[in-house]
Amino acid sequence: LFLNCNPAPPVDVVSIIMHGEGTKDSGNFIIIGTGIDSNKIKTVSAEMLEKHNYKVSTLILSPEQFMQMSEMNLFPDRKKILFEK
């Protein structure tokens, strides 16, 4: 019997940014890091909608992807850093 020798990569969230103007009903969040499980993020987002009637839209990016997209000015709207490592 062989066990899976490839464990999941460690999760490293570098920052969480609120993109644009949030409302009392919804917000757009950019999660920057590595090893982030998008299914877990979707689950938490669904729970926020169900329990608090708050729609969470997320975009998960690696630090490199975020830097490249920022350099291309793809995030011109207001940004608020909610968490930074």
Side-chain angles (χ1 to χ4, degrees):
L1 177 70
F2 291 96
L3 299 177
N4 183 357
C5 296
N6 297 324
V11 175
D12 183 21
V13 175
V14 176
S15 61
I16 300 174
I17 299 171
M18 183 175 214
H19 180 255
E21 292 289 330
T23 68
K24 67 179 185 83
D25 299 324
S26 67
N28 300 315
F29 301 90
I30 302 170
I31 304 171
I32 304 166
T34 55
I36 299 167
D37 184 342
S38 63
N39 288 324
K40 287 184 182 178
I41 300 297
K42 287 177 187 175
T43 299
V44 171
S45 297
E47 288 175 5
M48 290 293 293
L49 183 59
E50 184 179 317
K51 293 180 182 177
H52 304 287
N53 201 32
Y54 189 83
K55 183 180 179 190
V56 175
S57 297
T58 60
L59 175 62
I60 301 170
L61 298 171
S62 71
E64 295 81 15
Q65 289 171 318
F66 180 73
M67 186 179 305
Q68 289 172 340
M69 293 175 82
S70 293
E71 288 172 357
M72 295 172 68
N73 202 28
L74 296 177
F75 303 115
D77 292 340
R78 181 173 181 260
K79 294 181 274 300
K80 181 178 180 183
I81 297 173
L82 302 177
F83 170 81
E84 191 167 51
K85 195 173 192 182

